[in-house]
Amino acid sequence: MNISEELQTLLAKVIAFIPQLVAALVVFVVAILLANLAAKGVLRRSKDKEKNIQTAKLLADITRWAILILGIIIALQQVNFNVTGFLTGLGIAGFTIGFALQDIAKNFISGLLLLIRQPFQIGDAVELSGFQGQVTDITLRDTVVKTWDGEIVILPNTDVYSNPIKNFSGLKNRRRVIQVGVGYETDLAKAQQKILESVMSVKGVLQDPQPMVLATEFGASEIVLQAYFWVDQTQNSILQIPSEVIKSIKEATERESINIPFPIQTVQFADQEIRKLF
């Protein structure tokens, strides 16, 4: 075969390949357009339903990449690319890389679960892995908490998801408990009533659910009473209101001459030991 025949053969192959290439390019361009349109639609609808913008962005990204990957596979098939062999090799390589980066993979999956389930949102007051504070950021790898002491703590999502999560902002109302000890000689009914009145008089304490004062145990030098009350944490400080309740209880017990005893220890000496002292 001379050079002229080789060029003619090559030219024929190129001409035959052009329709396949055009079809592949068309499929790829259409996939990009559909991916962007679908992602925008998912993002818009998710924003209407979800309060967490991170979840909306995550769903939009997943939609975009799913359509793009499908479009690329279809486009490669148009040019007779061995997609099956490529995916097999890619799967083996992915397994090897995933095994080496399993911690990162765990954090990524935990981040997905957190963003989908939404046990907390940015701005919520939480306790995560023993750290209390406000959530400032949520990513696919970690969660950032600003503690009440002003420290920034970056927690891997695996630790967050595998440990108990306390969301203090999850509900509007929170219950607080104040413990008071009264002397054994105290009229308990009177003490409970006066303490209850003092709790209910504090601005910020909810009247519904109604506060309660219950006797809970016999202490070493007092009978223990516990005052239960609820605070609307969206309107009041969850720290300031209990402080005001304590002040109100102290004023009420002093006004009503209700004894709040100090711890007392009684020491007894045998007669022989007393004589030795003299």
Side-chain angles (χ1 to χ4, degrees):
M1 183 180 293
N2 56 36
I3 297 177
S4 178
E5 292 177 346
E6 291 180 355
L7 288 175
Q8 289 179 357
T9 302
L10 178 61
L11 181 61
K13 290 181 178 179
V14 170
I15 293 174
F17 180 72
I18 288 176
Q20 296 176 334
L21 180 61
V22 171
L25 291 175
V26 170
V27 170
F28 183 68
V29 172
V30 170
I32 293 177
L33 295 175
L34 287 177
N36 290 333
L37 289 175
K40 290 179 180 178
V42 171
L43 183 61
R44 182 170 57 253
R45 297 189 66 175
S46 298
K47 280 183 177 180
D48 295 337
K49 296 180 179 180
E50 304 288 346
K51 296 181 180 179
N52 194 335
I53 187 63
Q54 279 74 22
T55 303
K57 290 181 178 178
L58 172 63
L59 294 175
D61 288 341
I62 291 175
T63 302
R64 177 184 287 108
W65 282 106
I67 295 176
L68 279 177
I69 291 173
L70 180 62
I72 291 172
I73 292 174
I74 296 174
L76 290 174
Q77 289 176 339
Q78 302 305 309
V79 294
N80 298 323
F81 184 81
N82 187 0
V83 178
T84 303
F86 175 74
L87 292 178
T88 302
L90 188 63
I92 295 174
F95 176 79
T96 304
I97 295 173
F99 183 78
L101 303 176
Q102 55 181 321
D103 288 340
I104 296 177
K106 288 180 182 178
N107 286 323
F108 179 81
I109 294 173
S110 297
L112 283 176
L113 294 174
L114 288 172
L115 288 173
I116 292 172
R117 190 176 179 200
Q118 297 185 39
F120 52 81
Q121 301 174 9
I122 292 178
D124 283 356
V126 298
E127 181 178 332
L128 306 176
S129 299
F131 294 93
Q132 288 191 3
Q134 187 178 46
V135 177
T136 60
D137 195 15
I138 307 170
T139 69
L140 290 176
R141 182 191 176 279
D142 50 50
T143 299
V144 182
V145 174
K146 183 178 181 181
T147 68
W148 304 131
D149 295 329
E151 300 173 340
I152 298 297
V153 180
I154 301 176
L155 300 170
N157 284 331
T158 302
D159 293 342
V160 175
Y161 194 77
S162 60
N163 286 290
I165 297 173
K166 291 184 180 181
N167 188 343
F168 303 118
S169 301
L171 296 175
K172 180 180 178 181
N173 300 334
R174 286 181 63 186
R175 193 183 74 172
R176 301 282 83 187
V177 181
I178 301 297
Q179 182 171 296
V180 185
V182 298
Y184 274 90
E185 76 285 353
T186 303
D187 182 341
L188 285 183
K190 175 184 175 183
Q192 287 178 274
Q193 181 61 33
K194 297 301 179 183
I195 292 175
L196 178 61
E197 292 174 358
S198 68
V199 172
M200 296 179 68
S201 68
V202 175
K203 184 179 180 180
V205 172
L206 294 176
Q207 306 302 306
D208 184 21
Q210 186 175 356
M212 296 185 300
V213 178
L214 303 176
T216 58
E217 64 177 293
F218 293 101
S221 57
E222 76 284 333
I223 295 178
V224 178
L225 304 179
Q226 288 189 332
Y228 301 87
F229 59 93
W230 292 80
V231 178
D232 181 350
Q233 62 179 348
T234 63
Q235 302 293 329
N236 303 280
S237 169
I238 199 66
L239 299 177
Q240 185 64 33
I241 298 302
S243 176
E244 295 300 323
V245 169
I246 291 175
K247 293 178 183 177
S248 180
I249 291 175
K250 183 177 184 300
E251 293 172 357
T253 54
E254 290 178 347
R255 184 173 58 252
E256 300 295 332
S257 299
I258 298 173
N259 181 29
I260 301 180
F262 293 102
I264 299 173
Q265 290 184 343
T266 303
V267 180
Q268 296 180 341
F269 294 94
D271 292 343
Q272 186 176 357
E273 292 177 346
I274 295 176
R275 294 192 188 97
K276 289 180 180 179
L277 294 177
F278 297 96

